[in-house]
Amino acid sequence: MTDMDAFIDRLNPDMCVVTAQAGGERAGCLVGFASQCSMRPVRFVVWLSKVNRTYEVACAAEYLAVHLVTPEQFELAALFGGETGDRVDKFARTRWTQGYRGTLVLQDADAWFVGRIEQRTDAGDHVGFVLDPVRSGAQGKPDGRPLLRLADALAIEPGHPVE
């Protein structure tokens, strides 16, 4: 096995907030593993930790909402990354609206999309949810503002242990 730290420590991925709703449960978390994974058709994958409550709700969901946030929206990221839905109703502390097929769309996110879960891929301690985008929106037009990145979020103490 090789020491991947020299490679991984150079990465600084965009962070996003993923929300899920199923069976009367709602959940959301800050995610650092997410990417477009196909061009035609457009697909996007978000990786959810198996120890996270959002993962449990997402397993029963048909759709997920993915939200981009900027460094100016750090408090929103901290709410979804530093609190656990096991103890806190995160949605009582932020503005949201019901989106397509009952999804939870965060009104203060810089941009968002709702995707139908097309596939789940188990990769160890995380499961990849491959999404087919069906709706999207944004606050105004893209203006080149940077997105919240991992380095910006390091001060957030995870609501669940990483390991």
Side-chain angles (χ1 to χ4, degrees), residues 24-119:
E25 297 286 322
R26 58 189 186 184
C29 65
L30 185 65
V31 172
F33 303 150
S35 176
Q36 183 176 343
C37 59
S38 176
M39 291 174 64
R40 290 189 187 99
V42 173
R43 295 286 189 265
F44 196 89
V45 64
V46 293
W47 296 89
L48 301 178
S49 170
K50 291 179 181 178
V51 301
N52 194 307
R53 183 170 180 276
T54 304
Y55 164 76
E56 295 173 13
V57 177
C59 283
E62 188 177 351
Y63 294 86
L64 299 178
V66 180
H67 307 81
L68 297 178
V69 293
T70 66
E72 292 79 23
Q73 296 161 319
F74 181 84
E75 276 112 35
L76 183 62
L79 173 64
F80 282 90
E83 300 290 344
T84 174
D86 296 326
R87 294 186 296 255
V88 171
D89 180 0
K90 299 175 194 181
F91 298 93
R93 297 182 179 187
T94 192
R95 297 176 341 123
W96 62 276
T97 188
Q98 196 161 32
Y100 184 78
R101 296 289 190 110
T103 54
L104 307 165
V105 175
L106 303 178
Q107 293 177 324
D108 295 324
D110 195 55
W112 59 270
F113 82 89
V114 170
R116 184 180 195 294
I117 300 170
E118 293 293 319
Q119 181 179 342

Side-chain angles (χ1 to χ4, degrees), residues 143-157:
D143 59 5
R145 285 189 298 170
L147 297 175
L148 185 82
R149 299 180 72 86
L150 177 61
D152 303 319
L154 290 176
I156 300 171
E157 186 72 31

